[in-house]
Amino acid sequence: MSVIYVLLTISITIAIVFFIGFIKAVKSGQYDDDYTPSVRMLFEDELVKTKPNKTINKTKV
C-alpha cells in the first residue's frame, strides 16, 4: 500500500512541474503566433534559395 502513496506523490510532483513549465511558456508568449505556422508550409519553397541548374553538355552521336 505504501508503494501507491509513493507513486501518487511522484506523479503529482511531475504533473505540477509540467504545469508550471506550461504556465511559464504561455506567459513568455511562446503560443502567441497562431497564424504563421499554418501558412509557413504554403510558402516554404519561396524561402529556400535554389541553386542554378547545372547543364550537362551532351555530344550528339
Side-chain angles (χ1 to χ4, degrees):
M1 189 72 177
S2 64
V3 174
I4 293 175
Y5 295 130
V6 171
L7 290 176
L8 188 62
T9 305
I10 291 172
S11 65
I12 289 174
T13 305
I14 291 173
I16 290 171
V17 168
F18 278 110
F19 183 68
I20 290 171
F22 173 74
I23 296 297
K24 284 186 179 183
V26 169
K27 285 187 177 182
S28 70
Q30 185 173 357
Y31 297 110
D32 285 348
D33 189 13
D34 293 335
Y35 180 70
T36 302
S38 64
V39 178
R40 187 181 308 149
M41 65 182 233
L42 299 174
F43 299 108
E44 189 173 87
D45 293 336
E46 293 177 6
L47 298 176
V48 178
K49 293 183 179 179
T50 58
K51 295 180 182 178
N53 293 335
K54 293 181 180 178
T55 57
I56 300 173
N57 293 332
K58 293 182 180 179
T59 56
K60 292 182 181 180
V61 179

